[in-house]
Amino acid sequence: MRKRPDRRKCANRLISALTGAVVTSLVLTGCVATQDGEAVRTPPQPPRHCTSTECPELPVFAEKSVADSGVTEQNASEAVPAYLTEVLDDLDRTWQDWFAALNIENITPGRVLIEPGETFASKCLQNSGDELTSDFANALFCTLDDEPDGQDVKRKGSIVLPVQTFADIWDGKLFGSDGIMLGDFTAATIVAHEYGHNVMYRLADAYGMTRSQLPSGDNPELLADCFAGNWAATVFAREDLSIKEIAQAAALIFSIGDPLPGQGHGTSIERIHALTRGFTDKLTSGGQPVTCLKNYWPESLA
């Protein structure tokens, strides 16, 4: 999520992988009915496109799902992976429902939590020659990494999270630098941003979109910020999120913006605007994916 040279290489690989994506694995297998006591599966339905006026809303679940992390220096080795897993689980169930309304399934990303003492060789960074360690100063979504999701199903397209780098958030460090207003939702927003790249990838895959139809310029990062705001709105609606934690997300986005437009990620102001667009609809209700798509990826709308 932070601007780094390696991340730009990863973005280029994201576009390349999206361009050659296969559609057939992402259609619903159909509903199950019974006939003479036997299960009968209806024919698969083609993926639906959102339009500017008709698009599913993200579900808001009634029960509290993302608990306080309780991370301390003493328990970080267990509490940080547990919290990251909890956030990923919540993102999975929220976005799965939205995709299901579009007749798209199998959208959960693979997960890689790099624990202290472990390494991971991401295919998106293979030219660097180094395996990623637990203190790698970034998080990423790689379309090429084929790893298990939360149900232990292999998925091409995975989120990679270095655990020690996330543990440092609760110790006042953000990607190796001093940070302000850091806490649980700083970490959650980073994960939700990477998940936003997964949402974009799965949509492009399902629709068989060409390179010219993909977000360009800073829009892939701004779209991921906006999708992160969508998810945050659902968390806030079920009272899992306080105004203080929203401020943590805004401070995070502000601190990692590019100094000038057109450098790959968006300026701090552009990124805060994208997160806010995703979070709220004219300050009256939670923001929705259609708003993000209209502003940062209109080519995806029917």
Side-chain angles (χ1 to χ4, degrees):
M1 192 171 172
R2 182 173 178 248
K3 51 185 186 294
R4 295 170 58 86
D6 282 346
R7 185 56 180 275
R8 190 177 300 277
K9 292 178 182 177
C10 232
N12 290 335
R13 288 179 177 271
L14 172 65
I15 290 174
S16 297
L18 285 170
T19 303
V22 177
V23 180
T24 55
S25 64
L26 290 173
V27 295
L28 277 179
T29 55
C31 300
V32 174
T34 58
Q35 180 177 320
D36 298 328
E38 296 293 328
V40 178
R41 188 168 293 277
T42 58
Q45 299 297 311
R48 290 176 50 218
H49 282 257
C50 286
T51 69
S52 59
T53 57
E54 185 178 351
C55 192
E57 295 189 355
L58 283 185
V60 176
F61 299 101
E63 72 275 14
K64 186 178 178 69
S65 179
V66 181
D68 294 341
S69 71
V71 171
T72 66
E73 185 178 353
Q74 290 71 34
N75 71 7
S77 60
E78 295 83 22
V80 172
Y83 182 70
L84 297 178
T85 297
E86 192 173 79
V87 171
L88 284 167
D89 287 345
D90 196 81
L91 284 158
D92 275 350
R93 73 168 184 161
T94 300
W95 283 107
Q96 274 183 306
D97 274 19
W98 184 78
F99 273 100
L102 296 173
N103 295 340
I104 303 170
E105 63 174 14
N106 300 330
I107 63 89
T108 52
R111 304 177 180 186
V112 180
L113 272 61
I114 310 175
E115 305 268 4
E118 297 179 352
T119 61
F120 177 70
S122 173
K123 294 176 183 176
C124 282
L125 301 177
Q126 60 187 3
N127 291 335
S128 69
D130 296 324
E131 292 191 335
L132 304 183
T133 59
S134 187
D135 60 353
F136 175 68
N138 210 341
L140 60 102
F141 171 74
C142 176
T143 61
L144 305 178
D145 289 335
D146 186 12
E147 298 296 326
D149 67 4
Q151 300 301 314
D152 207 31
V153 177
K154 279 286 190 77
R155 300 289 191 206
K156 187 173 181 181
S158 302
I159 292 174
V160 182
L161 307 176
V163 170
Q164 184 55 56
T165 295
F166 276 87
D168 288 345
I169 288 173
W170 285 273
D171 201 29
K173 298 289 184 181
L174 179 63
F175 298 132
S177 302
D178 291 334
I180 58 171
M181 298 185 68
L182 304 183
D184 284 11
F185 215 68
T186 306
T189 302
I190 295 171
V191 178
H193 170 94
E194 300 307 333
Y195 207 101
H197 285 296
N198 174 66
V199 172
M200 180 176 64
Y201 170 61
R202 305 299 170 184
L203 282 175
D205 195 0
Y207 298 151
M209 300 184 77
T210 65
R211 186 186 184 95
S212 64
Q213 295 172 301
L214 302 177
S216 59
D218 296 341
N219 282 342
E221 296 297 324
L222 297 176
L223 181 61
D225 288 337
C226 195
F227 283 152
N230 289 158
W231 174 75
T234 71
V235 180
F236 184 72
R238 65 176 186 244
E239 300 182 355
D240 270 12
L241 187 63
S242 69
I243 297 298
K244 174 185 175 182
E245 289 167 320
I246 295 169
Q248 288 178 0
L252 163 69
I253 295 297
F254 184 82
S255 68
I256 57 177
D258 290 327
L260 295 171
Q263 295 186 333
H265 297 80
T267 65
S268 295
I269 299 302
E270 289 172 331
R271 299 197 72 174
I272 290 175
H273 194 188
L275 182 74
T276 303
R277 268 187 173 140
F279 184 78
T280 183
D281 182 10
K282 299 179 181 177
L283 302 179
T284 60
S285 62
Q288 295 297 334
V290 66
T291 301
C292 301
L293 295 172
K294 285 194 293 187
N295 282 277
Y296 303 110
W297 195 14
E299 296 87 352
S300 67
L301 299 172

